[in-house]
């Protein structure tokens, strides 16, 4: 449940920042509407779209890298636990002899 609350909180923060940034860009564009030429408005629009694509791509790449690191860590832990279990299985006979269990004399 803690992870779910964290995801909700992160989602609310991302939504709020995106809403404020979008509103700010829209206000800037409409306030400059009368002062800029047609080509300058096209450039401003293209810049806006470009920045949105770059920021969205950055967030996507960041989240994918995070997922990849988590999967790599889980795979490493699985291999490590398998090696530890195999070693314990091999060493169980030696441990029995050391502890004088199942020792036929």
């Amino acid at each position: 449940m803690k992870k779910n609350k964290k995801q909700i909180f992160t989602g609310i923060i991302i939504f709020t920042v995106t809403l404020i940034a979008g509103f700010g860009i829209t206000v800037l564009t409409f306030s400059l509407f009368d002062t800029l030429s047609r080509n300058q408005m096209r450039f401003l629009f293209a810049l806006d779209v470009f920045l949105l694509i770059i920021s969205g791509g950055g967030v996507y790449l960041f989240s994918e890298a995070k997922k990849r690191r988590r999967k790599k860590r889980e795979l490493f832990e699985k291999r490590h636990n398998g090696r530890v279990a195999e070693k314990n299985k091999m060493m169980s006979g030696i441990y029995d002899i050391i502890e004088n269990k199942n020792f036929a004399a």
Side-chain angles (χ1 to χ4, degrees), residues 18 21 25 48-62:
T18 306
I25 290 170
D48 179 31
V49 170
F50 178 71
L51 290 175
L52 288 173
I53 289 172
I54 293 296
S55 63
V59 169
Y60 176 74
L61 290 176
F62 178 76

Side-chain angles (χ1 to χ4, degrees), residues 1 3-4 9 21 24 32 34 37 41 47 52 54-55 57 62 66 69 80 84 91 93 96-97:
M1 192 67 178
K3 185 176 182 181
N4 194 13
F9 184 68
L32 295 175
D34 292 336
S37 69
M41 286 297 292
L47 181 66
L52 288 173
I54 293 296
S55 63
F62 178 76
K66 190 175 180 181
R69 282 192 306 266
H80 174 72
V84 169
M91 297 297 286
D96 289 342
I97 292 172

Side-chain angles (χ1 to χ4, degrees), residues 11 14 17 37 48 68 85 95:
I14 291 172
V17 169
S37 69
D48 179 31
R68 199 174 330 125
Y95 292 147

Side-chain angles (χ1 to χ4, degrees), residues 68-83:
R68 199 174 330 125
R69 282 192 306 266
R70 183 175 58 237
K71 187 161 185 109
K72 185 177 178 180
R73 186 184 69 237
E74 288 173 356
L75 183 62
F76 172 77
E77 288 176 1
K78 183 178 177 183
R79 287 189 317 224
H80 174 72
N81 290 340
R83 287 190 301 262

Side-chain angles (χ1 to χ4, degrees), residues 4-64:
N4 194 13
K5 289 180 183 178
K6 182 180 178 184
Q7 289 176 343
I8 291 171
F9 184 68
T10 305
I12 290 172
I13 289 175
I14 291 172
F15 173 76
T16 306
V17 169
T18 306
L19 184 67
I20 291 170
F23 183 73
I25 290 170
T26 305
V27 166
L28 176 67
T29 304
F30 281 111
S31 67
L32 295 175
F33 185 73
D34 292 336
T35 60
L36 297 177
S37 69
R38 185 176 180 97
N39 286 336
Q40 289 171 333
M41 286 297 292
R42 287 180 180 168
F43 176 74
L44 187 62
F45 177 74
L47 181 66
D48 179 31
V49 170
F50 178 71
L51 290 175
L52 288 173
I53 289 172
I54 293 296
S55 63
V59 169
Y60 176 74
L61 290 176
F62 178 76
S63 66
E64 288 299 313

